[in-house]
Amino acid sequence: MTDKISQLKGLGVAIITPFLPDGKIDFPALESLVDNLILKRVDYLVALGTTSESPTLTPEEKRDVVHCISTVNAGRLPLVMGVGGPDTLRVAHDMEAADSLPVDAFLSVAPYYNKPSQEGLFEHFRYLSERAPRPVILYNVPGRTSCNLDAATTTRIALECPNVIGIKEASGKMKQILNLLNHKPENFLVISGDDMITLPLMAAGMDGLISVVANAFPAEMANMVHLAMKDQFIKARLYHDRLFNLMQACFQEGNPSGIKAVLSVQGKIHNRLRLPNVPVTAALYEKIEQLVKL
């Protein structure tokens, strides 16, 4: 592993894409968000993940977002870029086309809609591993993709695809995650993709979190994750408990609608999304306002 890839432990942040009232990307707000994340001691940045509303961004906008984030970052933290989709050949092409971008790794979601078998999932990621110009982190989120990377398949990929260095696990399947943690190769990263259950997963051996909530509360989430990495779980739980109700509210009406409401309450962005995503209801927005003030 390169020095930067070895740093992909701790707290990563799946960065939102702020929009102006006219629907265009609000680059000054994005710059401010990224700078704040770095100042608040997050460990790495994730561009163009699910939270960024990447399916609604044009190819040109995606490159502009990565350029904006990397410019503000100026090499201070590792930068991971989301590149995934249901067409293996297209994903490989997009990864190869991103070779000139200043990113350190790719985050690639399990192919959605097609509902491939476990063998199909293995072959998909084997193909990407052989062609990707950067290391690949798998992303398992069956609630969005309608397919699940099981522990045996993930372990097989980890053993047979050397350019795959880890997985963001957001299945919520505790037995599956524990099986993976017990059978994976030593240096294969297992990263939580679920803010609400990260603390117990880190107690079981996970390497950290790629967080949504940290867009709005980077210092608090960084403290929780960093304390957990030191096995100081009683102290880490203080931050978990403080934010737990807000975490629940963030995902009550979907992501990134919830976190954008939080950031809007904080005055950091306009509460604007791109269809088919819409802002949270007025009732949930009021609830989030109350929770942010606590």
Side-chain angles (χ1 to χ4, degrees):
M1 287 189 186
T2 66
D3 287 342
K4 281 200 171 181
I5 297 305
S6 68
Q7 294 171 27
L8 297 178
K9 294 184 178 183
L11 180 64
V13 185
I15 302 170
I16 63 110
T17 304
F19 297 116
L20 294 164
D22 65 4
K24 295 179 181 178
I25 296 173
D26 186 348
F27 285 105
L30 180 57
E31 292 170 0
S32 179
L33 283 169
V34 172
D35 199 47
N36 184 56
L37 294 177
I38 296 168
L39 291 173
K40 296 296 174 61
R41 297 174 50 246
V42 310
D43 297 295
Y44 59 99
L45 307 171
V46 181
L48 303 182
T50 304
T51 305
S52 76
E53 300 172 77
S54 55
T56 73
L57 302 177
T58 67
E60 294 76 19
E61 286 176 324
K62 289 179 181 179
R63 294 185 74 88
D64 289 345
V65 164
V66 172
H67 178 73
C68 176
I69 293 171
S70 65
T71 299
V72 176
N73 182 38
R76 288 180 284 178
L77 298 179
L79 176 58
V80 178
M81 174 182 172
V83 184
D87 179 351
T88 306
L89 298 181
R90 182 69 201 179
V91 177
H93 173 271
D94 290 346
M95 287 181 172
E96 290 168 342
D99 189 25
S100 62
L101 297 177
V103 299
D104 300 291
F106 297 123
L107 178 67
S108 196
V109 70
Y112 46 83
Y113 190 76
N114 294 322
K115 300 182 75 171
S117 66
Q118 293 300 306
E119 186 64 24
L121 289 168
F122 172 79
E123 290 296 337
H124 170 82
F125 285 113
R126 181 190 61 79
Y127 189 91
L128 296 183
S129 174
E130 293 173 352
R131 288 158 179 81
R134 302 284 190 280
V136 176
I137 300 170
L138 314 175
Y139 180 17
N140 188 37
V141 57
R144 288 184 180 270
T145 63
S146 295
C147 69
N148 174 55
L149 265 168
D150 67 24
T153 301
T154 302
T155 301
R156 182 184 174 197
I157 293 169
L159 291 169
E160 298 185 32
C161 303
N163 201 30
V164 177
I165 61 168
I167 184 170
K168 176 185 177 183
E169 240 295 354
S171 68
K173 298 176 182 290
M174 299 298 286
K175 289 183 179 179
Q176 172 176 294
I177 295 168
L178 292 174
N179 273 321
L180 174 59
L181 289 168
N182 277 278
H183 294 96
K184 72 177 184 71
E186 182 179 357
N187 293 324
F188 187 77
L189 299 169
V190 182
I191 304 162
S192 173
D194 190 330
D195 289 81
M196 287 186 287
I197 59 173
T198 290
L199 197 58
L201 290 174
M202 289 191 70
M206 271 201 172
D207 294 295
L209 164 68
I210 294 177
S211 173
V212 173
V213 175
N215 277 280
F217 292 94
E220 292 83 351
M221 295 301 292
N223 285 336
M224 183 191 82
V225 170
H226 294 159
L227 286 166
M229 292 175 72
K230 298 175 183 176
D231 292 330
Q232 297 181 23
F233 288 100
I234 293 176
K235 291 181 180 179
R237 184 178 165 184
L238 296 175
Y239 294 97
H240 168 84
D241 291 351
R242 186 182 306 167
L243 289 175
F244 186 73
N245 288 334
L246 183 65
M247 291 180 194
Q248 287 188 302
C250 265
F251 298 100
Q252 186 174 320
E253 293 180 7
N255 180 44
S257 298
I259 189 59
K260 282 199 160 182
V262 175
L263 290 164
S264 172
V265 169
Q266 292 179 330
K268 295 176 179 176
I269 65 167
H270 298 282
N271 190 23
R272 177 66 188 253
L273 296 95
R274 283 188 178 172
L275 290 171
N277 292 319
V278 296
V280 299
T281 58
L284 180 55
Y285 193 90
E286 182 179 349
K287 179 180 179 180
I288 286 171
E289 282 184 309
Q290 295 170 352
L291 289 169
V292 169
K293 294 174 183 177
L294 293 179

